[in-house]
Amino acid sequence: MSLPADLIYSGAVKRIPLDGDWTLYPVRPHDGPVSSPDDLLNASLDPVPAVVPGNVEIDLMRAGKLDDPYVGTRIYRLREIEAYDWWYVREFDAPAEPPAGPVRLVFEGIDCLATVWLNGEVLGETDNMLIPWSFDVTDRLGRGERTRLAVRIASPVRAAREYSYEPWLTAVSTGYEHLYVRKAPHMYGWDIAPRVITAGIWRSVGLEVHGRDELVDVGYAVESIDDGTAMLKIGWQLRTDAPDLDAIELTVTGECDGNRFERTFRPLFIAGELRLEVPDARLWWPKGYGEPDLYEVRWELRRDGALAHVSTHTVGLRTIELERTELGGEDGAFLFRINGEPIMCRGTNWVPLDAFHSRDVSRYDRALELIDDLGCNIVRCWGGNVYEEDSFFDFCDRHGIMVWQDFAFACAFYPQEPDFLERVRLEAQAVVRRLRNHASLILWSGDNEVDMFYQMRGLDPRINRISREVLPQVCAASDPYRPYLESSPYVASEVLRRKRRDQGLMPEQHLWGPRDYFKSSYYAENTASFASEIGYHGCPNVSSIRRFIEPDHLWPSAQTPGRERPWQENDQWRAHATDPEPVYGPYAHRIDLMANQIRELFGFYPDNLDDFALASQISQAEAKKFFIEMFRIGKWRRTGIMWWNALDCWPQFSDAVVDYYFAKKLAYWYIRRVQVPVCVMFDEPSAWTCRIVVANDTLKPACGQVQIVDAETDEVLLSDGFAVDPNANRAIGRVRVSRGEHRLFLISWEIDGQRYANHYLHGTPPLDLAWYRSLLPRIASLPGGFDPDAVAR
């Protein structure tokens, strides 16, 4: 029987990897039936070498049968292989020694609809790329014998056509196939990701050889923290073939920076709980609020006095609360408390790292280092993506980065049939049980914008059994100490009662709107307590554009000379907008949007690529800086912002502040400065002046010296000391301004010998691009600076 792997055993004694070289057989629809591994020998197929983990397109590229789909409009050619089936085959030597316990074949990720054969016999099937799958092979392996493993992956597009679709089911226009087939939603085409209906053994595969005695599951939770003492609850389960438990002894120890706990006991049953008081506990804190202390926990299972099994975990002690109201506005609330302290959230949305997910792991380190360097204390794992590997959460644990985890449902009405709901339940159980011991994980969210889809179509999202029944039941059963949010954003019954279809009544909002001037009323007067999405377009660096746009399409005017907005006719720019359809699909307008945002700020459309890229990056950088400052200045009326987004999953024109090739846009440097824990900022003009506000997002008093100068005249406008209470804001002065002027103010401050900087752009558009360009070196020269000559290049 095949089951999600995390529903079986979590502690393998020995793992025999089966990654590496495989053989891949593409099977086209007209190739005739290939229904078993033996048929591969008789069919006229054209196999290619494959590497696991991998995706079939990467193997085809490596074999010279597919050009890089990330260049030009080649991405559309992948539609030609959407209907293919794919066979992976390899041989290996089975373990020579007889196993003491179960042996399981574990696929950490198969994309997606697979049948698995071992030595010509069917082991089972999989129907979900998002979770691991496990097969019992204990009695199917001959000792030391050569063994043949085959995996057939069926076309998800063809499989999706076999379902019956109720008329009310809804999805993004290019993604109806994803309603029943459990792949990452973005893979069917999104505004941030191309349509890539890929296939592959995309995560590791191997044999897990278990012993006869194992600790198979452990869960940790902190029930309370009183006067520095943490009440730690531990639930555990073991597996043994011992006829009784008298011979079994368990010892658990935990240590962090000299603080230690230990308990040895004889179990009365195969499962139970411990409640341990940990005096003077070292607590886990988000970035800026304290150290993200972690305990190294070690379990030892002894049988008849002999050590039989060891299991180790890294555990953070902390409590989590989410205070939220049904309605937003002045009395609304959406506030996280960690260890009882209110947290001002500053962070970003984590979206796919690559359109081909087998590449994700190779991009983890650089991507996570960017998040850390940007000063993010929270990331939202967006619901259109896969569930990230434990190494992602390990990094966030160590660096004090809170994780908001959406379940992988986005922008759709999903089926409500019992069999589909049961598949959702198995998926959720596997995900929750795998990730629940990570200290960084602070929230389960049912989905991305599904409530909004119901609301916009005049329906009550409470009829969605996935987010209102299945997912909360799984979380309550498997992870009851962590908050659950029905949807992001959540549409409460009171919002529906007032018959409002806009999200202005919600405390947590996705602030997209008209995407006009970033200080327009839509942004400046928004009612959100917490913005979990807000973004603004920024052109990639010119050097990056040259890598994915072919030379004759590099600047649109080469195709359409004399046009004021020539990019509208450039098919390669549209393809990287990202538009999943070759001819004016749903996202073709996004290049025009980027150009219009330039015109909003500077009053014209640039007529060359260098100026276009620079103007766009300035527009994006100032916008995102303003969004973050707006929420920080509004503390505690506002409690968090997660801007969209850090890094692209393929080469494109987007809201990301770092492009697919890891080239930083100007916004990266501006965000890095305004997300420091103690930040000095200008409020917007009122009564001829701007307030100067210091935001202190730490649990210690902040004292320092600040100086503000005019960038053009070097006139010192403010020079003074400041002191701000813990976790508070304070206005420390005012600077006189006139809305009719365009001015740039440079802000620098020092705290405990460390220097920081920010700036403020004042004035009503249109601004002079040449004027801003001339002052960019002054901004770059401040502490935490950058190379002004490299901006947008």
Side-chain angles (χ1 to χ4, degrees), residues 560-577:
T560 53
R563 291 282 300 274
E564 183 189 30
R565 297 152 77 179
W567 45 82
Q568 292 178 312
E569 304 301 324
N570 190 312
D571 57 347
Q572 293 196 11
W573 278 51
R574 284 200 314 274
H576 292 268

Side-chain angles (χ1 to χ4, degrees), residues 316-361:
L317 304 186
R318 51 94 186 96
T319 59
I320 315 165
E321 301 168 77
L322 173 58
E323 298 177 3
R324 61 185 175 111
T325 57
E326 295 284 280
L327 295 177
E330 290 299 321
D331 297 323
F334 195 94
L335 171 69
F336 287 102
R337 289 184 182 271
I338 305 296
N339 304 325
E341 296 288 345
I343 304 297
M344 184 69 191
C345 296
R346 313 177 310 272
T348 187
N349 281 264
W350 181 273
V351 301
L353 283 182
D354 202 291
F356 300 112
H357 280 290
S358 66
R359 292 172 169 170
D360 289 355
V361 172

